[in-house]
Amino acid sequence: MLIAGFPAGAFQTNCYLVAPGPGQECVIVDPGQDAVEGVDELLREHRLKPVAVVLTHGHLDHVWSVAPVCGARGIPAWIHPDDREMLSDPTKSIGTPIFGDLTLSEPDDVRELTDGAVLKLAGLELTVDHTPGHTRGSVSFRLPGEKIMFSGDLLFAGSIGRTDLPGGDYPTILDSLATKVLPLPDETVVLPGHGPQTTVGRERATNPFLREAAPGAAPKKGI
């Protein structure tokens, strides 16, 4: 298994390339702001051939480069239908046009994700978990055999994704944590959308939001 990544752009959004090994086909996860050069460098370094882009959600910092990355290689992008409109309308991400005349467009080939689907791409089997709360269409991707989870902005080391942007909802993200993260084995490696990697076990023991999401936890005021 080969997983290579880098933090892209001003938002430092983690972009990952995932392949069975060097010199093989790969999947690209969340090519964010100014990610094209970093993606191309990793493709050359590891001699990889991309077959798809998969998106954990539609926020601008995760989809900024999806159209040029897909267009240059003639590959599809996968996103949950509840976030699809964000691919071409940045204001749907943040609720205000703070980036001036920035224009985005959908790739030519967009395919929609569903909860529980298994994507067989590049010799990999990615299980899709719909994990709303950060956005309505947020998903996580798991490689069950490898005990690896690409959590997007659902779960970070010591924290979780914000819920104060359009489509965010604090009780909903707690439910996603309770139903999609807490049942996973402690040794599951979590590769988040921002910041360092962690494990489910570490977050179960130390992350206050996971403790709040645990069944039987006393309810607290949302953020």
Side-chain angles (χ1 to χ4, degrees), residues 159-223:
S159 190
I160 60 172
R162 60 191 295 179
T163 59
D164 59 336
L165 293 174
D169 183 75
Y170 187 68
T172 300
I173 203 171
L174 289 183
D175 183 68
S176 292
L177 292 167
T179 58
K180 303 297 189 181
V181 176
L182 286 174
L184 297 176
D186 282 350
E187 60 268 29
T188 302
V189 175
V190 178
L191 299 174
H194 301 271
Q197 73 177 51
T198 184
T199 66
V200 168
R202 184 178 301 130
E203 298 312 301
R204 195 193 311 277
T206 63
N207 190 317
F209 300 99
L210 273 186
R211 289 200 296 268
E212 184 177 350
K220 297 180 181 178
K221 184 179 180 180
I223 58 173

Side-chain angles (χ1 to χ4, degrees), residues 7-132:
F11 302 96
Q12 294 289 278
T13 303
N14 291 327
C15 176
Y16 301 100
L17 277 65
V18 191
Q24 300 191 48
E25 293 181 336
C26 74
V27 172
I28 301 167
V29 183
D30 287 355
Q33 183 185 24
D34 302 330
V36 173
E37 183 176 348
V39 167
D40 287 344
E41 287 180 1
L42 289 179
L43 292 174
R44 289 192 297 267
E45 178 183 350
H46 299 288
R47 299 173 287 109
L48 299 173
K49 179 183 177 181
V51 298
V53 169
V54 296
L55 300 168
T56 61
H57 61 289
H59 276 164
L60 184 64
D61 58 322
H62 290 252
V63 308
W64 192 301
S65 298
V66 64
V69 167
C70 288
R73 307 284 173 170
I75 59 177
W78 293 79
I79 191 168
H80 192 276
D82 288 348
D83 277 12
R84 181 169 179 171
E85 64 181 350
M86 298 185 196
L87 290 175
S88 56
D89 187 351
T91 65
K92 299 294 185 181
S93 292
I94 50 180
T96 180
I98 64 172
F99 292 97
D101 295 330
L102 174 69
T103 58
L104 297 180
S105 61
E106 281 197 359
D108 291 336
D109 186 354
V110 178
R111 305 180 187 184
E112 295 186 347
L113 299 167
T114 57
D115 185 45
V118 177
L119 303 182
K120 296 183 178 181
L121 300 167
L124 307 168
E125 291 192 0
L126 289 169
T127 297
V128 180
D129 291 319
H130 185 209
T131 50

